[in-house]
Amino acid sequence: TMQRVFARMHAAAAHESSVLIVGETGTGKELVARAIHYNSPRAQHPFVPVNCAAIPRELFESELFGHRKGAFTGASRDTLGLVRAADKGTLFLDEIIEMPPETQVRLLRVLQERRVRPVGEVEESPVDVRFLAATSLPGERAIAEGRLRQDLFYRIGVITIQLPPLRERAEDIPFLVQHFIEGFNRVFPNKVESVDPRALDLLTAYPWPGNVRELSNVIESIFAMGAHGRALPEDLPEQFRAHRRFAAAA
C-alpha cells in the first residue's frame, strides 16, 4: 500500500503541479509534503508549513499575503506574508479546509495568476511558489460540507495523494515499531532491543485511531516507563490492558 503512495510522491516531486494530500490525523501528511519538497528542484529553497487551523480568521489574509503598515489597526510595519516568504520554494497549507471561504477566493487567484497583493497594497507582486495542501476530509466531502471551494479543490488537487490509515496497513506496524525503537534508543538512556511477539501482536491488533503519530507515542511511552531489553505486554500503555488479547499475552 505504501509503495503505491511512495510512487505517487516520487512522481509529484518531479513536477511543479499543486498537490493535495488526504489522510486522517496522524497519518503523516506533513512528512509527505516535506519529502516531496526535498526531493524536488526546489529543495534548496524554503519549505514553509502553515497550520490553517491555528490562524485566527481575521488574520488569515494578512498572514498569508502580508500587509502594508497602517493597513489596519495594529499594522505597525510592512510584513512579507507566508506566500512571499516561500518564494522559489514550497508553501504547505495543512488543513486547508479551515481556511475562510473569502481567503480561499484570494488564494485561488494567487494559484492562477502567480501574483499576490498584500492587504492595504494597490500593486500585485509576482511570486514563484509551489503549493502543497492537506486535509483530513476527502475532497468531495469537504466540498459537500462547504469547507472547501470546488474551484480551489480542482486547482490545488492537480495531483492527489491518499494516505491510508494505519489500521489498513497492519503489515507495516512491525517495521514502524523497529524504526521508532531505533530512534528512541538514541534519546533515552535505557535501551530497548525489540518488542516481545506477544506485545507486537497487541500492537498489530489495535485499531490506531491516532495512526502513526499514536504509534510513535506508544513506543516513546515504553521507553519513558523504563523498559529495557525486550518490551513486554505489561510495558504497553493502559489502553492495551482493555484489549481481549492482553490477558492471554501477559
Side-chain angles (χ1 to χ4, degrees), residues 89-167:
T90 301
L91 185 72
F92 172 55
L93 298 166
D94 195 10
E95 287 305 341
I96 192 172
I97 58 174
E98 300 296 337
M99 183 181 293
E102 59 272 19
T103 308
Q104 292 187 27
V105 173
R106 289 200 61 187
L107 177 63
L108 179 63
R109 178 171 174 79
V110 174
L111 280 161
Q112 292 173 336
E113 305 297 332
R114 300 294 163 171
R115 302 180 70 84
V116 61
R117 181 171 61 84
V119 177
E121 180 63 84
V122 175
E123 300 294 330
E124 293 183 332
S125 302
V127 288
D128 176 16
V129 176
R130 187 185 190 183
F131 290 86
L132 308 180
T135 172
S136 56
L137 288 181
E140 295 78 4
R141 180 179 165 189
I143 293 169
E145 294 182 4
R147 307 284 297 279
L148 184 65
R149 288 178 58 92
Q150 188 174 47
D151 47 7
L152 179 58
F153 168 69
Y154 290 128
R155 186 66 185 179
I156 208 160
V158 175
I159 300 172
T160 301
I161 296 177
Q162 181 77 47
L163 291 183
L166 188 55
R167 63 182 174 276

Side-chain angles (χ1 to χ4, degrees), residues 177-213:
V177 166
Q178 191 58 40
H179 168 72
F180 291 132
I181 284 176
E182 292 171 2
F184 289 122
N185 270 326
R186 294 192 289 268
V187 177
F188 286 87
N190 52 309
K191 306 303 178 186
V192 175
E193 297 173 2
S194 63
V195 173
D196 185 273
R198 296 168 298 164
L200 189 59
D201 182 55
L202 290 167
L203 292 171
T204 304
Y206 184 69
W208 298 108
N211 291 292
V212 178
R213 184 181 301 153

Side-chain angles (χ1 to χ4, degrees):
T1 299
M2 288 305 297
Q3 290 301 321
R4 289 194 294 272
V5 172
F6 295 151
R8 290 187 68 81
M9 291 166 58
H10 179 75
H15 300 285
E16 287 288 291
S17 301
S18 300
V19 179
L20 182 65
I21 305 162
V22 182
E24 295 179 6
T25 298
T27 49
K29 296 187 289 294
E30 183 170 338
L31 291 176
V32 169
R34 288 182 180 274
I36 291 172
H37 170 74
Y38 288 112
N39 286 279
S40 77
R42 296 177 179 266
Q44 301 304 314
H45 299 286
F47 175 84
V48 180
V50 182
N51 181 357
C52 294
I55 302 177
R57 187 183 185 94
E58 64 275 12
L59 296 179
F60 240 106
E61 296 202 2
S62 172
E63 287 285 318
L64 282 183
F65 310 122
H67 64 257
R68 288 201 64 180
K69 179 180 178 180
F72 52 86
T73 302
S76 58
R77 58 184 177 84
D78 291 351
T79 64
L80 191 64
L82 294 168
V83 172
R84 288 191 292 173
D87 195 44
K88 301 292 190 299
T90 301
L91 185 72
F92 172 55
L93 298 166
D94 195 10
E95 287 305 341
I96 192 172
I97 58 174
E98 300 296 337
M99 183 181 293
E102 59 272 19
T103 308
Q104 292 187 27
V105 173
R106 289 200 61 187
L107 177 63
L108 179 63
R109 178 171 174 79
V110 174
L111 280 161
Q112 292 173 336
E113 305 297 332
R114 300 294 163 171
R115 302 180 70 84
V116 61
R117 181 171 61 84
V119 177
E121 180 63 84
V122 175
E123 300 294 330
E124 293 183 332
S125 302
V127 288
D128 176 16
V129 176
R130 187 185 190 183
F131 290 86
L132 308 180
T135 172
S136 56
L137 288 181
E140 295 78 4
R141 180 179 165 189
I143 293 169
E145 294 182 4
R147 307 284 297 279
L148 184 65
R149 288 178 58 92
Q150 188 174 47
D151 47 7
L152 179 58
F153 168 69
Y154 290 128
R155 186 66 185 179
I156 208 160
V158 175
I159 300 172
T160 301
I161 296 177
Q162 181 77 47
L163 291 183
L166 188 55
R167 63 182 174 276
E168 293 182 4
R169 52 187 182 101
E171 68 275 9
D172 289 347
I173 290 176
F175 300 100
L176 290 167
V177 166
Q178 191 58 40
H179 168 72
F180 291 132
I181 284 176
E182 292 171 2
F184 289 122
N185 270 326
R186 294 192 289 268
V187 177
F188 286 87
N190 52 309
K191 306 303 178 186
V192 175
E193 297 173 2
S194 63
V195 173
D196 185 273
R198 296 168 298 164
L200 189 59
D201 182 55
L202 290 167
L203 292 171
T204 304
Y206 184 69
W208 298 108
N211 291 292
V212 178
R213 184 181 301 153
E214 184 182 7
L215 176 58
S216 174
N217 291 343
V218 166
I219 303 303
E220 182 178 2
S221 76
I222 291 173
F223 279 83
M225 295 306 293
H228 57 86
R230 174 174 287 188
L232 302 173
E234 52 265 35
D235 294 318
L236 296 177
E238 189 63 32
Q239 65 262 36
F240 292 90
R241 300 178 188 278
H243 198 283
R244 58 184 174 80
R245 299 189 186 183
F246 182 82

